[in-house]
Amino acid sequence: MSTPIITVRDVSKTYDEGPPALAGLDLEVRAGEALAVLGPSGSGKSTLLNLVAGLDKPSEGSVTVDGLRVDEMSEAGLARYRRDRIGMVFQFFNLLDDLTVEDNVLLPAQLAGMSRPVARRRAAELLERLGIDRHVRAFPGRLSGGERQRVAVARALMNRPALLLADEPTGALDSASAADVRELLTGLNADGQTIVLVTHDTALAQACASRTIELVDGRIARDVLRTAAAR
Ligand SMILES: Nc1ncnc2c1ncn2[C@@H]1O[C@H](COP(=O)(O)OP(=O)(O)O)[C@@H](O)[C@H]1O
Ligand SMILES: [Mg+2]
């Protein structure tokens, strides 16, 4: 078996008050997997995603991604890590409304110092592949929810991340747009993109995930591998 792209080792996360959000969690994710993280509200799903994304640090344990100890990185290291290795998609898109679709998608490349012509070519390619090329000059506010999420996915993929992380990517979408995003993520994984997604949307997990874990009270209560035939 290939070395895991994510290794979470005995990770606990405690906030100032309340029970631990994560309690002694162990998890390995391999390149090419599409992992769906399910579980009731408050079970630690977003916390887990944030630790993998380097947006937060564990109270105990280690988080290794793509060979890097994310939990030990400096702020500057984390910024570089997120820029170069991680693409993130959120429930409410987090697009910049006063930038055009194209400029939103170009942003990560700009931060990485990619030359403008190369970046524009890559953005055009992504926008076409995601079926939103006709909106390049539009502002996100003019787009439907499903289109906005496609733009967010394009932006997340701009720097060819080792890992695409999505937190409730269909949570704010109508059912047609949700189906759209479902298909998109499933296609990306079929093309080899490693994906970790947190979702309540069982249809999304069904369609996209090669593996499903369920968190309950900050622990993994279930871990199920699915064969391609079952998808
Ligand atoms: N920034 C925070 N400060 C304090 N408690 C938090 C914070 N973030 C999450 N929590 C708590 O940690 C637990 C897990 O939260 P979260 O990971 O957001 O769950 P989920 O995404 O599964 O709904 C919850 O009890 C939540 O209230
Ligand atoms: Mg959450």
Side-chain angles (χ1 to χ4, degrees):
M1 279 272 238
S2 56
T3 52
I5 189 161
I6 304 175
T7 304
V8 172
R9 200 49 84 222
D10 206 14
V11 158
S12 296
K13 176 69 181 178
T14 327
Y15 293 105
D16 290 343
E17 41 198 85
L22 294 175
L25 198 91
D26 285 304
L27 176 68
E28 286 188 353
V29 179
R30 302 199 173 267
E33 278 192 310
L35 175 72
V37 183
L38 309 178
S41 181
S43 58
K45 304 182 297 295
S46 295
T47 301
L48 174 60
L49 214 63
N50 290 341
L51 295 181
V52 170
L55 292 169
D56 206 350
K57 301 236 185 219
S59 312
E60 282 174 63
S62 65
V63 177
T64 307
V65 178
D66 217 8
L68 302 170
R69 275 292 293 274
V70 178
D71 55 296
E72 291 182 334
M73 282 181 194
S74 65
E75 281 306 313
L78 284 171
R80 218 167 28 239
Y81 162 74
R82 284 195 295 266
R83 186 192 71 198
D84 296 341
R85 317 227 178 190
I86 299 292
M88 274 200 101
V89 176
F90 302 91
Q91 180 173 1
F92 295 106
F93 327 122
N94 293 16
L95 297 171
L96 299 175
D97 287 329
D98 50 0
L99 294 185
T100 63
V101 162
E102 182 183 36
D103 285 337
N104 267 281
V105 174
L106 285 173
L107 208 54
Q110 238 170 332
L111 294 174
M114 197 187 290
S115 87
R116 182 122 180 125
V118 172
R120 291 194 69 189
R121 232 175 0 253
R122 166 113 183 114
E125 214 175 86
L126 277 170
L127 289 167
E128 189 186 343
R129 175 160 164 225
L130 302 193
I132 35 174
D133 43 324
R134 67 183 183 285
H135 296 303
V136 264
R137 306 210 188 292
F139 289 90
R142 301 285 300 274
L143 306 185
S144 73
E147 289 166 341
R148 278 185 233 191
Q149 198 58 299
R150 283 174 176 266
V151 175
V153 171
R155 180 181 59 181
L157 293 176
M158 191 64 196
N159 291 345
R160 303 178 200 277
L163 201 53
L164 180 64
L165 304 177
D167 197 346
E168 306 278 8
T170 58
L173 301 180
D174 61 75
S175 60
S177 298
D180 237 36
V181 167
R182 205 146 67 216
E183 211 173 286
L184 169 59
L185 293 177
T186 305
L188 290 172
N189 178 246
D191 291 343
Q193 177 70 53
T194 309
I195 300 178
V196 177
L197 62 97
V198 161
T199 188
H200 280 110
D201 180 351
T202 48
L204 175 60
Q206 284 283 336
C208 182
S210 57
R211 178 182 173 197
T212 300
I213 62 172
E214 188 178 341
L215 293 188
V216 176
D217 296 335
R219 297 171 199 275
I220 296 178
R222 233 163 44 95
D223 188 340
V224 183
L225 264 178
R226 298 168 65 232
T227 60
R231 287 201 254 168

